[in-house]
Amino acid sequence: CKNILGSGTHSNSLSLFMIIMGIFCPMAFFNAGFVFSIAATVVIRTLSQLLYRKGPLIRFFGIYTIFTVGLAPFSLYLFGRISIYSFAASLIFMPLLLFILVLSPLFILCLAFNITFPIVWIIEKYIMVILHIPILIDALPFSFLTLSKPDFIDICAFYFGVAAFYYSFKKPGI
């Protein structure tokens, strides 16, 4: 059974996660980070099907473009502004965070043998670099665009327009 999120398994997993979060922490639905993570998952999962048969470089930049455009209404609604450099920032941040995920098994292995100093020193310096990137981006001129806060109808119209755009390019049988 295919739906807007693709296969039923992915949408069921996301729905189950939201139900569990609603049971244990209902205030999470009002947390900007939670809203962004759910919206990012839905947007990327839905629109990445357009990039299914493209080359790896086109898929790489396409996912970041989808991510940036898809989350713009939430950013505007929650913060009252849109970051001009969010596309470039996500191109920098995602590979850096991937490096931490790659280092984590090495860190756990070092903990098992009680050799934590070198890896902790590397991770500490690395995290300090990552934490300074948003400060540097915020210091750039014209780092954000302030617009009036959209209401619910504007956000719905945006996503219906994105859905219409998506379905206009979707080939039958995909």
Side-chain angles (χ1 to χ4, degrees):
C1 172
K2 295 225 9 142
N3 56 26
I4 193 163
L5 288 177
S7 70
T9 306
H10 294 296
S11 61
N12 291 343
S13 301
L14 186 63
S15 301
L16 181 63
F17 171 71
M18 289 180 63
I19 289 170
I20 290 171
M21 283 301 293
I23 290 170
F24 290 109
C25 185
M27 292 306 292
F29 292 110
F30 300 103
N31 182 329
F34 182 77
V35 170
F36 269 89
S37 70
I38 295 297
T41 303
V42 170
V43 165
I44 289 173
R45 179 74 186 118
T46 304
L47 296 179
S48 66
Q49 295 172 11
L50 287 174
L51 305 169
Y52 179 66
R53 292 196 170 99
K54 305 292 183 199
L57 193 61
I58 292 175
R59 271 191 308 218
F60 179 75
F61 285 110
I63 289 291
Y64 287 115
T65 304
I66 288 169
F67 185 73
T68 303
V69 172
L71 293 181
F74 285 112
S75 179
L76 187 58
Y77 182 77
L78 293 170
F79 305 117
R81 59 188 187 176
I82 296 175
S83 173
I84 303 292
Y85 304 114
S86 63
F87 181 77
S90 65
L91 285 176
I92 294 169
F93 263 105
M94 294 305 171
L96 290 177
L97 293 176
L98 181 65
F99 183 71
I100 286 180
L101 290 175
V102 169
L103 269 183
S104 60
L106 180 63
F107 180 67
I108 292 171
L109 187 65
C110 287
L111 280 176
F113 294 106
N114 204 14
I115 328 171
T116 57
F117 173 73
I119 198 77
V120 168
W121 184 82
I122 290 170
I123 290 176
E124 178 188 13
K125 299 301 179 195
Y126 192 72
I127 289 175
M128 291 307 293
V129 168
I130 289 175
L131 290 176
H132 280 82
I133 291 173
I135 296 167
L136 292 173
I137 289 174
D138 198 38
L140 292 172
F142 308 110
S143 64
F144 60 87
L145 179 64
T146 304
L147 299 169
S148 62
K149 185 176 182 177
D151 52 4
F152 184 71
I153 300 296
D154 295 334
I155 293 174
C156 288
F158 174 81
Y159 284 112
F160 280 126
V162 168
F165 178 75
Y166 167 71
Y167 284 109
S168 70
F169 284 102
K170 186 175 179 184
K171 293 185 172 72
I174 292 179

